[in-house]
Amino acid sequence: MASAVKRIGVLTSGGDSPGMNAAVRAVVRTALYHGVDVIGIRRGWNGLINGDVVRMDANSVAHILNRGGTILYTARSEEFRTEKGRERAVATCKLLGIEGIVAIGGDGTFRGCLALSRHGISVVGIPGTIDNDIGCTHYSIGYDTAANTAIEAIDRLRDTMQSHERCSVVEVMGHRAGNLAQYVGIATGATAVLVPEIEWDFKKDVAERIRSARLAGRTHFMIIVAEGAFRDDEIMKNPGSANKVASMIKEELGIDPRVTVLGHIQRGGAPNARDRVTATRMGYSAVECLVAGKTNRVICHQHGTVVDVDMEEALAVGHKLNESEQLVLEAMIGEDRS
């Protein structure tokens, strides 16, 4: 069957995540398999506006499967939010003969896709974010690698905290989503986990758990905090959830916690097997959609299967914390096994 498109573009937008390169590779190789030309768009929507592009072939994506970050670079584009910016992006597509675009990123990236589709460009989105906060998919590229990076760092940190009998407060990424903190908290046997989706009480959910653990004979404590754990507007404008929690612990319990902010270290590094394979499957499916003449689709991972869903419906699905994992966490919380 002949392809519905002859030339497509691929871009990465928003925050980078391990596995994006694997998705780009899959898009390019699948397109070439169908005889479709591929244009790499660098620096996200900004690159489409400014014509920052490169023609891609099999050599372009050789040996990138195991590389973190994104070879196409990424950026956020304020100009693309304007109608004038979108018109410039459409003009680039017309000039280069780009009939379809695969965009790898988060909700903001998908909203950009929808805006572009209204100008006649076929679009498919692939979820790539370490926060795993895209409601329509059970899994997004980069989440597992980021979680394992955080877990390894916390395990190392625990060794020294135990040696010095200290309390450690670790901040993981998650400005509006606590999935990563929740998952990491289960994996590390944290004393407490604080996330933005669940209202928490410091004295009950942190102080009393530390006090109970100490009375049970434990001498060091691990508190996992999502960067957006505080909903207070002033705190959100001036991030520093872990430092705030540490100050509260010192004031309430008289112990001096050590703060570790993992920050962007969670984004870097080679993607693990799950992210490489998931990204490859999603990249393949995205091109198959365009070849079949589909548009406004998001490639999702649901119940172990890769499917494509309507983009507007996908964006209407709100993010929520994994309920089953939260139940597990509540049963395990405070049971610091060290």
Side-chain angles (χ1 to χ4, degrees), residues 151 154-155 158 167-170 172 180-195 205-206 209-210 213 218 220-226 328-338:
I151 290 164
I154 291 167
D155 284 347
R158 186 188 293 281
C167 174
S168 183
V169 182
V170 180
V172 300
L180 193 60
Q182 178 191 64
Y183 193 73
V184 168
I186 294 172
T188 57
T191 309
V193 178
L194 306 179
V195 297
D205 297 317
V206 180
R209 284 172 177 165
I210 292 175
R218 300 182 183 95
H220 80 286
F221 322 99
M222 183 66 67
I223 314 299
I224 309 296
V225 184
V328 172
L329 181 61
E330 287 173 1
M332 297 295 111
I333 204 70
E335 293 301 314
D336 194 316
R337 291 161 178 72
S338 310

Side-chain angles (χ1 to χ4, degrees), residues 169 192 194 199-211 223 230 244-253:
V169 182
L194 306 179
E199 189 171 351
W200 48 273
D201 177 82
F202 172 76
K203 290 192 175 182
K204 178 174 71 74
D205 297 317
V206 180
E208 282 305 315
R209 284 172 177 165
I210 292 175
R211 189 173 283 123
I223 314 299
F230 287 89
K244 177 66 174 175
V245 170
S247 296
M248 294 166 76
I249 290 172
K250 186 174 182 178
E251 182 178 347
E252 178 73 19
L253 299 173

Side-chain angles (χ1 to χ4, degrees), residues 106-107 110 127 129 131-140 179 298 300-302 309 313-321:
D107 285 350
F110 302 158
T129 165
D131 291 337
N132 202 32
D133 61 347
I134 301 175
C136 62
T137 184
H138 297 162
Y139 189 83
S140 62
N179 302 69
V298 176
C300 299
H301 193 275
Q302 297 179 352
V309 302
E313 291 180 9
L315 285 170
V317 179
H319 157 70
K320 63 178 182 179
L321 211 58

